[in-house]
Amino acid sequence: MSGINIKTAGESHGQALVGIVEGIPSNLPLCPEDINKDLQRRQMGYGRGGRMAIETDKAEILTGLRWGKTLGGPIAVMIKNKDWANWEKGMSVSSEDEGAIAAVTRPRPGHADLAGAAKYNFKDIRNILERASARETTTRVALGAICKKFLSEFGVVIGSFVTSIGNVRSRELLSLSDSGILIELFNKAEDFKGDTVTVRTPSEYESEQMMCAVGLAAKDGDTLGGTFIVFATNIPVGLGSHTQWDRKLDGRLAQAIMSIQAVKGVEIGMGFHASTLNGSQVMDEIYYNRPKTGQFGFYRKTNNMGGIEGGMSNGMPIVLSAAMKPIPTLRKKPLKSVDLTSKEPIEAAYERSDVCAVPSCAVIGEAMAAAVLADAFLEKFGGDSIDETRANYHNYMNYLSEI
Amino acid sequence: MSGINIKTAGESHGQALVGIVEGIPSNLPLCPEDINKDLQRRQMGYGRGGRMAIETDKAEILTGLRWGKTLGGPIAVMIKNKDWANWEKGMSVSSEDEGAIAAVTRPRPGHADLAGAAKYNFKDIRNILERASARETTTRVALGAICKKFLSEFGVVIGSFVTSIGNVRSRELLSLSDSGILIELFNKAEDFKGDTVTVRTPSEYESEQMMCAVGLAAKDGDTLGGTFIVFATNIPVGLGSHTQWDRKLDGRLAQAIMSIQAVKGVEIGMGFHASTLNGSQVMDEIYYNRPKTGQFGFYRKTNNMGGIEGGMSNGMPIVLSAAMKPIPTLRKKPLKSVDLTSKEPIEAAYERSDVCAVPSCAVIGEAMAAAVLADAFLEKFGGDSIDETRANYHNYMNYLSEI
Amino acid sequence: MSGINIKTAGESHGQALVGIVEGIPSNLPLCPEDINKDLQRRQMGYGRGGRMAIETDKAEILTGLRWGKTLGGPIAVMIKNKDWANWEKGMSVSSEDEGAIAAVTRPRPGHADLAGAAKYNFKDIRNILERASARETTTRVALGAICKKFLSEFGVVIGSFVTSIGNVRSRELLSLSDSGILIELFNKAEDFKGDTVTVRTPSEYESEQMMCAVGLAAKDGDTLGGTFIVFATNIPVGLGSHTQWDRKLDGRLAQAIMSIQAVKGVEIGMGFHASTLNGSQVMDEIYYNRPKTGQFGFYRKTNNMGGIEGGMSNGMPIVLSAAMKPIPTLRKKPLKSVDLTSKEPIEAAYERSDVCAVPSCAVIGEAMAAAVLADAFLEKFGGDSIDETRANYHNYMNYLSEI
Amino acid sequence: MSGINIKTAGESHGQALVGIVEGIPSNLPLCPEDINKDLQRRQMGYGRGGRMAIETDKAEILTGLRWGKTLGGPIAVMIKNKDWANWEKGMSVSSEDEGAIAAVTRPRPGHADLAGAAKYNFKDIRNILERASARETTTRVALGAICKKFLSEFGVVIGSFVTSIGNVRSRELLSLSDSGILIELFNKAEDFKGDTVTVRTPSEYESEQMMCAVGLAAKDGDTLGGTFIVFATNIPVGLGSHTQWDRKLDGRLAQAIMSIQAVKGVEIGMGFHASTLNGSQVMDEIYYNRPKTGQFGFYRKTNNMGGIEGGMSNGMPIVLSAAMKPIPTLRKKPLKSVDLTSKEPIEAAYERSDVCAVPSCAVIGEAMAAAVLADAFLEKFGGDSIDETRANYHNYMNYLSEI
């Protein structure tokens, strides 16, 4: 029961979202702004629906922090739903409000609706969709931002950018072995347009193509998915372990990313493409430069393995890709479904939704990667205060420069 | 600390591999043959190296079983290394044998060698590679076979087949919504050639192409990776849960598959391809037929989601894809590396190895999927004896036919 | 990651206490009053300090509940601190308020103060004592009340009563084998005095003796500990398991109870007394009556084992005892300590505190026992909705009546 | 999934006992003798039955060790049952041997027999008693010895001694604040008699009284329980944490000890006795001496809290007490029971058993305490090799001497 773990709670239209992250060392500087900037990044993105306007999410840190520094105990955050006034009866916890709004009985293909209603024995699908909604990821982003802040103390940068939307795909991304370039791509994806509503892809030309694709889908009442990269720089060699299946860093990252709503695929480094090449083409050969104190002398010129070999970080940037399916809630092209009660064929319910949420999903991917990496980091370095963890970290980095 | 969990132990050339699976209900019929047939399937496969001849693995069940039935407690299996006589000194546990064989100091790119030696502070890379070796998956297969046996009591079939080797790719696989077809493809992949050394792909024509590709790579001293599908039929709707990130079935499966040595990508259902299509093209629409007792009336005609929506099984077959990178140990084209001790550039060490292990990897994928699904199954249905679990299962199936 | 687990967050004088319980099946009726009545019971008790008047705790259920029934997802509760206005600067999360109140530098023996400050690298002990305070148990009681509500669906009653305060000890408690008598003692302890401020012991005479002892200690500026019993009736045979050390019900209960602030000893059934007797004197012999449907025919006339044999419930009431040390914060007799900063000998800090909190501690014990038992219950019976769990439970109970 | 965890497998008369410990850092020197000396200590003890002669347990280390040093991966041990030849059919894993020996149908009060048979649906109680037997603790002792070896690198000594057998109780044990005295008592308990069959209590006089009590019980065909102390010296301040109930060191130790077969009570430090005293009498006041480098300047003159405050180690020796009930298998005074099949009243089965196993139980207590403390140690200090953990440990100890 050690390490960093995160738990979220809350329904999409409930009173508030709540989350707890445990295990962050003490004396880490932290402020709501550290969290809110990622909440905002999650909400932006070309293709998000109207709800984003309603919900300018702000996290309140309720516990675990005093005078701007962590206390070493669980940090609880709460994000109030701005729209709560409209849902107070419909999502009330009180039995007196039972029936205040009509039941949802038309399950939407591609959502948790049908499986959830069957599993949990509900006639009103709202009881499922409220928790299954990607709104839940707001809390993940909040908790992940705290994990990022912890990792940033060690120079770790976690970022993301969109690599495709629908069938518009970034041209080959090279040099994923270079932290500087990764960070530059990330910065471009973040800042490119001068305002914040972008598709979060590095190239201006492709960005426009992607926005165009989103616009067309919106016009058709259709939706689009896409792919994105999440990376982490400055991860020291040796996080995770080859010694047991559930200690491997790649597996833990894959779970974290695949657990995001609508993600259907995860890759480390070259991923599926590596399966098509010969062994002599994909390995990251090993080189050495006499290191400065606190550095690791061995390095690679390529990073096809995405920074992980044998279930451990190898000192190169961690690079993950993920595929998000298109959002299954279609405005104009309702999918065929069956009414839960009447068993009659019907059209699936339409809940207000986005056309494309890939730019947001990438931000959520950062949060999940941060949670896994922070856990693996603490597992290796131990420490209860940020100073102790740092001293242990430097112990190891100094040892690395001497092997 | 409930549910099913698996732990493996052992080095590639150690005395024995050991594994423990916990949580299997009592009174499940089980015999060594249930395990050994999967150990054999793992060892077969066109492209495996010479070691496979040495090691005809046989599992001994040491605990947890009596008179052919499980006792409800931990089941320990041991697989002795047939080659142990040649390694008794080199891999001895005794300090008296220190130095009996020369240290490995040339880290192989693509392996745990360098990261592991740095992390664990070893000068002799053998101390890492022995545990990091895919030999470890023998134990996973043994424990996974026990999980499969448990699931088979509920009509679950878990199978796999190879979908590409190198750049030879199966033509589009359709109808992954149909259990019968999945099982047929599996059977073809298993039996096709009349002998057991095949690439485990369903089509004879493609099988020959793939073997040809393996042959060419072998001649070049090169290696090949590939992709494979793992599926599970008859999984009831409602395993896993949408309620928390670490309860989602897709995430748990992704971790289990990505944790396999050399796997660099995992997909559920359509996976990455789904990210390129419109929402109206990929969703599995919902239909209904009045069910017989014990069946679920809602069904799909497609299975693009791979049997999982909202982190829960949806009653369709579970279908996963994974990408295996080519094996990084190259016989004729040694990769550039750096000697751990001298820091001089060298060629990477060559340990006897396979040219292509994709057919084996698919069998390992089955084992890992089985472990996750058995855990999720027991989580939903509870029960300490197979009869109790079965009664609870039927409770639920009968309830499903009445909603 | 299945089963029921509870997490708490929050500082004693922070803005709010927060807790999350995961894994409660859907469709369980629940209302704030189910929680608040236990929060009130925790706050009452002869010997509590002035703070209790300030804090009439009320739980808000923020998530996981709709229209009076659980949704199957995580349930988050928040208990606001009524006294927050007085602490807004002193316990602010904002770095702007740094230094708003003076640092606590005098560690109190018997508290987390010194060990916590050393471990977490704090100069201001408030950063430790705020989380280490027994105020945290408010959240445990809230979450435990939800677990109790779940168990009550199966006729389980969890109660407690005080068995000693200081050196005033209840005379021998007999017949702990009889659920009816346990519940009667519990009811007496709850209701005895006509008002709620009692020591929660069943006998009126002893109650007066105990209150007298508390009064004397208060006059002396001293404190008292004591012992209490927590019991659970109607627990079916077979919760927990003998098969692995961390699945044993007795161990899990012992952890839960020992983790309560100030508890220094835990017993199951006869506990330490059993160690003084002969084997022929302490075993609970086995009898049989042809059972009605849904009952277990085997029974005992004694319950020296406290309802647990071999790490499993045996069908008798679960009976635990625990020892609470006296509260270490002494008003008039300050303990010797050393200033953290000056290293000079000083008297320990006095934070407003109780004279005796044993009656409260017993209520907390109920909550922790409920959390463990609910987890073990769900582990055996599975189920995602209360109806499914109930059906599985009846499956088993009917099977029991037929063996 | 980090930290140290232990799993055992195996039946009392099965082919072998198997155990796995995960998470021990690399490069720890280890040899079978480190384990075997504790296996022998577990088997000795006045009052053990005839079986001890048959089974001179020897552990084979099958994995995780090479040339006398740990590899950082899982360490599997196997202890073969010497008596296996006599049980090969009766405990065979093969269904062909079904019925080779008669079923046990008479449940023994005080054992897992009845609860286990009901839970796991067995008619033959042997299917329960084989795993529930205290024989299982052999594996715990083996794995615990590895944890002890790890802790010994940091000067930690874990020992135990018996404090009562039946109603013969050691006179008041003073000065449990002094590591030197604890170790001296331990050494006396170990070595006292000149041969190894003792009751493992420090005083010669009391030792004779206790042996006399055991002899009388044996003559009567009765059994005796008792109490023992387990201690750990040189545990640095700050293991465990006050921040969450399941991170508290006292709770984790209590679970580990209470999970031992026949243990019914656990205390930390003064335990139940503390509940009878005033606050001013029990607290361990705080003193300070300018420390040498690497030491903690704050200390106590008493250790009533048993080295744990606020769920954390406080720098004093950890001192636990536990109560073992008398063994419930009575040779001459069979307990009343009911035949599982006929439902007729009968006498409980007699399996060859001990008269008193308290001296062994204390050794098992050491093993369980070692597992918990090693886990908490690694949680604080991290590190993958013993050198890295040691460097981090010294970081912290040096920091401690400067606060």
Side-chain angles (χ1 to χ4, degrees), chain A residues 6-8 107-112 114-123 128 131-132 136 140 164-167 222-227 237-246 248 250-252 254-256 258-259 261 263-268 271-272 274-280 282-288 296 298 300 304-306 308-310 312-314 321-328 330 333-340 343 368 380 396 399-400 403, chain B residues 6-8 107-112 114-123 127-128 131-132 136 140 164-167 222-227 237-246 248 250-252 254-256 258-259 261 263-268 271-272 274-280 282-288 296 298 300 304-306 308-310 312-314 321-328 330 333-340 343 368 380 396 399-400 403:
Chain A
I6 66 173
K7 291 283 175 203
T8 74
R108 297 163 302 163
H111 279 288
L114 180 59
K119 177 182 177 79
Y120 289 101
N121 195 4
F122 286 130
K123 295 297 178 199
I128 296 300
R131 175 72 190 150
E136 179 263 341
R140 300 200 204 189
S164 74
I165 287 184
N167 57 355
D222 214 323
T223 60
L224 287 175
T227 55
V237 64
L239 299 198
S241 173
H242 67 294
T243 59
Q244 192 69 282
W245 75 272
D246 54 5
K248 297 206 177 197
D250 39 11
R252 289 152 73 178
Q255 175 181 22
M258 190 71 96
S259 77
Q261 284 83 339
V263 169
K264 300 299 281 187
V266 181
E267 298 178 310
I268 314 276
F272 278 85
S275 73
T276 68
L277 302 174
N278 283 20
S280 55
V282 304
M283 296 308 143
D284 301 313
E285 297 188 313
I286 298 173
Y287 299 90
Y288 181 81
F296 187 46
F298 297 86
R300 319 296 172 100
N304 298 325
M305 295 299 104
I308 301 182
E309 288 172 314
M312 287 172 282
S313 59
N314 67 4
S321 272
M324 187 191 193
K325 73 178 180 195
I327 289 164
L330 305 176
K333 300 177 170 176
L335 296 161
K336 286 185 193 162
S337 186
V338 175
D339 189 274
L340 265 196
K343 310 293 188 302
M368 294 310 292
K380 171 146 192 62
Y396 179 69
Y399 143 83
L400 282 183
I403 58 171
Chain B
I6 66 174
K7 291 283 176 204
T8 74
R108 297 162 303 163
H111 278 288
L114 180 59
K119 178 182 177 79
Y120 289 101
N121 196 4
F122 286 130
K123 295 295 179 201
N127 291 337
I128 296 301
R131 176 70 191 151
E136 179 262 341
R140 301 201 203 190
S164 74
I165 286 183
N167 58 354
D222 213 324
T223 59
L224 288 176
T227 55
V237 64
L239 300 197
S241 173
H242 68 292
T243 60
Q244 191 69 280
W245 74 273
D246 54 5
K248 298 206 179 199
D250 38 11
R252 290 151 73 178
Q255 174 180 24
M258 192 71 97
S259 76
Q261 284 82 339
V263 168
K264 299 299 281 187
V266 181
E267 298 177 308
I268 315 276
F272 278 85
S275 74
T276 68
L277 301 176
N278 284 21
S280 56
V282 304
M283 297 307 143
D284 302 312
E285 297 188 312
I286 298 172
Y287 300 89
Y288 181 81
F296 187 45
F298 298 85
R300 320 297 173 96
N304 297 325
M305 295 299 105
I308 301 182
E309 287 172 314
M312 287 172 282
S313 59
N314 67 4
S321 272
M324 186 191 194
K325 72 178 182 196
I327 289 164
L330 303 176
K333 300 177 169 177
L335 296 161
K336 285 185 191 161
S337 186
V338 174
D339 189 273
L340 266 196
K343 306 294 187 302
M368 294 310 290
K380 174 149 191 58
Y396 179 69
Y399 144 83
L400 282 183
I403 58 170

Side-chain angles (χ1 to χ4, degrees), chain A residues 198-210:
Chain A
T198 78
V199 288
R200 303 194 63 250
T201 202
S203 140
E204 183 169 13
Y205 179 74
E206 288 161 357
S207 174
E208 284 177 17
Q209 282 183 295
M210 289 178 188

